[in-house]
Amino acid sequence: MIFKPSWRSLLLSTTTVFAVGLSTPGAKADIPDENYQPVLAHLLGTVMPPKIDEFHAASEELTEGFRDFCSDPDNGGLEETRAAYHAAMDIWQEIQPWRMGPLVANGRDQHIEYWPDKHGTAARQFRKLMFDKPAAYTDPEQLSGASAALQGFPALEEVLFADDHGNQMIAADENGVFLCQYGTAIATNLGTLSGELQAEWPDFATAMENAGPDSMDYPSAKFAATDLYRALHEGLLIISTQKLARPLGENAEDARASRGESPLAGRSLRNIEHNLIGLFAIYDGTWGDIGEEGQGLAALIDNSLLDRSFKLNWQTVADTVADLPPSVAEVLVQSDGYATLSDLKGQIEFLTMLVENDVGGNTQLGGGFNALDGD
């Protein structure tokens, strides 16, 4: 088995810590509102901006890579362009779960990545696009006003990884020329979207950091910090209920890797690995070499034993995902593949429970709200 057997024993250790906390007499005093402000300032003003800069730079490099490849297409250029796609997608998957402010304003997250596509909208629209080959879709500005299903990373995935599109672009036949022009327009539009995100984030971060009675949008710092807790909680829910549950289906016979995220690019589990990096930053306050340990939501938890146990459980899950192949398809073909992915889903659900009970309770930010269920 790929999975380490220790995660279930770690569940016991964290549950024990939580039970000890519950047995402590007396109600816990409210956290002063000013205690939330340093967390907001650190996560929104220090940790996230360099990552948005990184995403914009990766989008620009992807655009340049597409232009270079299409000016003189060959196999080497195709592989370099695919590598640029993966680099940009990696950082997007880390940013994606934050789901707040400029990330979701005007549906920006859906224009960057239209997923899940429950009704196959993108596939239908893409087939029609390739039949008609409208010139408007080779112009980034006109493309920005088109259906979200024909923009962003999934559309670019179709161009770079589906069928024989790569061969067509190298051959520079009629389809290949259109695909090159369309792909370059998608990448250029991604650069525009990431640039808008980069430009709008500072004002949003400042408004969150200055939350209080004088704010029109955030009447208290705790109210603002709830968005961070919600991003952490819902980010895990999306992994279990969409990124894993959709390809797993009802049972092993119903499992379909094609229902996962980024199936053509073969990175459905690689996406989850990067999701976990961005989500852990919300809790711990570090993102690679950016930030400071313990300055995220963890700064609000006055229980070092619980904090260590939570981090240990999270690291176990992160290591599990890192040890897996990058795609659901590669795991499902293994004899125990369905059980492996079901076990991973269980681990993510356990982390979600810890966030609801330990993090939500001790930061006083958990209130049972879940935008995914329509509440």
Side-chain angles (χ1 to χ4, degrees):
M1 280 288 289
I2 296 173
F3 284 85
K4 299 179 177 68
S6 58
W7 81 272
R8 296 189 187 278
S9 61
L10 291 174
L11 184 156
L12 176 61
S13 68
T14 302
T15 303
T16 302
V17 171
F18 184 54
V20 169
L22 287 178
S23 66
T24 304
K28 188 171 182 177
D30 286 345
I31 297 174
D33 199 59
E34 59 266 23
N35 287 19
Y36 294 98
Q37 290 173 328
V39 175
L40 291 165
H42 182 71
L43 290 177
L44 300 173
T46 299
V47 173
M48 180 56 106
K51 290 299 175 179
I52 293 176
D53 293 344
E54 185 180 337
F55 177 48
H56 181 56
S59 301
E60 295 282 274
E61 289 174 13
L62 177 58
T63 303
E64 280 302 307
F66 236 107
R67 287 174 179 154
D68 290 345
F69 165 60
C70 291
S71 67
D72 187 18
D74 59 20
N75 282 309
L78 177 62
E79 291 309 309
E80 288 176 4
T81 308
R82 286 173 171 171
Y85 163 92
H86 283 302
M89 190 61 156
D90 283 348
I91 182 59
W92 165 246
Q93 288 294 322
E94 294 181 17
I95 291 171
Q96 178 198 58
W98 284 53
R99 288 167 54 86
M100 63 180 72
L103 270 166
V104 295
N106 301 314
R108 183 171 286 127
D109 58 333
Q110 289 296 299
H111 286 85
I112 293 172
E113 186 189 4
Y114 183 79
W115 193 89
D117 182 5
K118 298 178 182 178
H119 305 293
T121 302
R124 289 196 309 274
Q125 292 185 1
F126 191 86
R127 285 194 297 269
K128 187 175 188 308
L129 181 76
M130 290 304 299
F131 182 81
D132 296 334
K133 300 181 182 63
Y137 287 80
T138 66
D139 179 283
E141 187 173 349
Q142 293 188 64
L143 179 63
S144 68
S147 166
L150 291 175
Q151 299 181 39
F153 284 109
L156 204 55
E157 183 185 8
E158 285 278 353
V159 171
L160 284 170
F161 298 95
D163 303 325
D164 59 347
H165 290 169
N167 292 332
Q168 290 174 341
M169 286 188 287
I170 291 170
D173 60 17
E174 183 183 6
N175 282 340
V177 170
F178 177 79
L179 285 165
C180 254
Q181 294 173 342
Y182 174 50
T184 302
I186 296 171
T188 303
N189 188 46
L190 279 170
T192 299
L193 290 166
S194 61
E196 292 171 352
L197 175 60
Q198 188 182 45
E200 293 174 19
W201 189 266
D203 285 347
F204 166 71
T206 299
M208 291 278 274
E209 292 166 27
N210 293 330
D214 297 330
S215 171
M216 295 287 291
D217 299 313
Y218 302 100
S220 69
K222 179 179 180 179
F223 183 87
T226 301
D227 275 0
L228 291 165
Y229 169 79
R230 187 178 297 155
L232 175 60
H233 182 231
E234 290 178 3
L236 290 171
L237 281 175
I238 287 170
I239 293 173
S240 61
T241 64
Q242 297 182 10
K243 299 195 176 192
L244 289 171
R246 282 179 57 78
L248 283 173
E250 296 295 325
N251 48 51
E253 289 71 31
D254 185 47
R256 298 289 184 276
S258 60
R259 292 195 294 256
E261 187 181 27
S262 309
L264 299 175
R267 51 168 302 137
S268 42
L269 295 176
R270 179 171 170 175
N271 287 351
I272 293 173
E273 180 180 1
H274 284 277
N275 285 164
L276 291 173
I277 293 171
L279 286 169
F280 188 67
I282 297 174
Y283 175 79
D284 190 54
T286 55
W287 198 336
D289 57 358
I290 297 168
E292 184 178 347
E293 185 179 356
Q295 297 306 303
L297 295 183
L300 301 165
I301 297 177
D302 186 20
N303 186 325
S304 61
L305 186 58
L306 186 149
D307 175 60
R308 288 198 301 272
S309 184
F310 181 81
K311 289 178 179 178
L312 185 58
N313 277 282
W314 191 288
Q315 189 60 53
T316 298
V317 178
D319 289 345
T320 292
V321 179
D323 287 343
L324 289 169
S327 75
V328 164
E330 291 175 85
V331 179
L332 282 179
V333 296
Q334 300 173 7
S335 59
D336 59 351
Y338 189 85
T340 295
L341 293 176
S342 297
D343 201 2
L344 174 59
K345 183 173 178 288
Q347 292 189 46
I348 298 293
E349 289 168 348
F350 173 59
L351 280 185
T352 307
M353 183 194 73
L354 295 185
V355 167
E356 291 169 353
N357 295 337
D358 297 359
V359 180
N362 284 271
T363 63
Q364 299 176 9
L365 294 173
F369 177 85
N370 173 18
L372 300 182
D373 63 14
D375 290 346

